[in-house]
Amino acid sequence: GTFAVDAEYKINAKDSINLSYTETLRTFQSLAFDNNTVVNIDPSLDTDFISDALTRRKRGVLFLSGIRGRTTYRASVFYHETRTDISTLAEDRYGGAISISRNMSRRLNIAGAFTYNFSKFISDNVGDKFWNASANINYKISESLVGTLGFAHSDRDQPRLANLNGGSNYISLSIRAAL
C-alpha cells in the first residue's frame, strides 16, 4: 500500500515551497524493481539484498524554488527511511541540494549546483557520505545549437567499500542540437 501527500504554497508570483511525503509498504523485491528500466536483477533470486521481506519506506522532500530577475534558484532537503525484517537493508538517508542559474545575456547562461547525501545503515551504524559540486557555462551558438563547458567534482567517504572512497573531477565540452 502507498500513502502520499503533495503540497505547494506560492509565496508570491515567482517563489514557491513544495512538500512531498510518501509512505510505502511493499516487499523489498518490488521496491528494487521500481524505476528499473533495464532488467539487471534476476527476480527469482532470494538473497539478503533482493528479498520478499516486507519493507516500509518513508520519503519526505521539501523544495524552495523561484526566480529573481535573470536568476533561477532551487533548494531542497530530503529524508528517506527504510525499515525491513532484514536488518542489513534498514537505512536512514538524508541530504540536500541547491542549484542556481543565471542568464548573463540572451546567449550566455551560467549554472552551479551542490548536493550532499548521507546514508546510515542501521544494522552496523555505518555511514556513507557523498557530495557533488558542479558548474556549467552554456552558450547558444545558433537557434538550434548550444555549446556547454562543464566541471564537476564529487567525493565519497564510507567504510564498507573503501575502494570507492575519494574524489573525482570531470570536465566536459559538448554541443547539443535541437531539432
Side-chain angles (χ1 to χ4, degrees):
T2 299
F3 171 77
V5 174
D6 288 309
E8 178 179 22
Y9 176 73
K10 291 288 232 178
I11 300 169
N12 55 42
K14 296 182 179 185
D15 303 296
S16 64
I17 295 175
N18 297 76
L19 174 66
S20 174
Y21 177 80
T22 305
E23 191 167 324
T24 307
L25 186 60
R26 294 176 33 200
T27 65
F28 190 84
Q29 185 176 26
S30 69
L31 289 169
F33 287 102
D34 278 356
N35 301 319
N36 189 3
T37 58
V38 179
V39 178
N40 56 11
I41 301 172
D42 184 349
S44 65
L45 296 176
D46 189 16
T47 67
D48 279 349
F49 183 72
I50 304 300
S51 73
D52 60 356
L54 198 57
T55 302
R56 177 179 301 258
R57 182 174 285 171
K58 298 177 183 179
R59 295 178 177 193
V61 183
L62 179 66
F63 294 100
L64 173 65
S65 59
I67 300 171
R68 290 280 179 266
R70 296 182 293 167
T71 303
T72 303
Y73 69 91
R74 181 175 175 111
S76 64
V77 292
F78 72 88
Y79 176 75
H80 295 185
E81 176 184 293
T82 302
R83 296 293 183 269
T84 183
D85 293 336
I86 299 174
S87 64
T88 56
L89 301 176
E91 171 190 19
D92 289 337
R93 182 181 300 175
Y94 54 89
I98 187 165
S99 64
I100 190 164
S101 174
R102 179 153 177 97
N103 292 323
M104 304 304 286
S105 70
R106 290 181 326 150
R107 292 182 175 254
L108 183 65
N109 170 277
I110 59 172
F114 177 81
T115 61
Y116 177 79
N117 185 75
F118 180 78
S119 295
K120 179 179 160 189
F121 302 97
I122 305 305
S123 62
D124 53 9
N125 208 25
V126 170
D128 180 358
K129 299 174 198 155
F130 178 81
W131 67 270
N132 182 66
S134 64
N136 291 307
I137 299 172
N138 303 294
Y139 185 76
K140 191 172 186 178
I141 299 166
S142 70
E143 286 302 315
S144 60
L145 293 177
V146 176
T148 300
L149 174 63
F151 172 76
H153 175 79
S154 62
D155 200 354
R156 170 170 248 139
D157 180 20
Q158 54 91 16
R160 278 192 173 169
L161 301 170
N163 60 337
L164 297 176
N165 286 345
S168 65
N169 296 304
Y170 179 79
I171 297 172
S172 65
L173 178 62
S174 66
I175 295 178
R176 295 183 316 262
L179 302 174

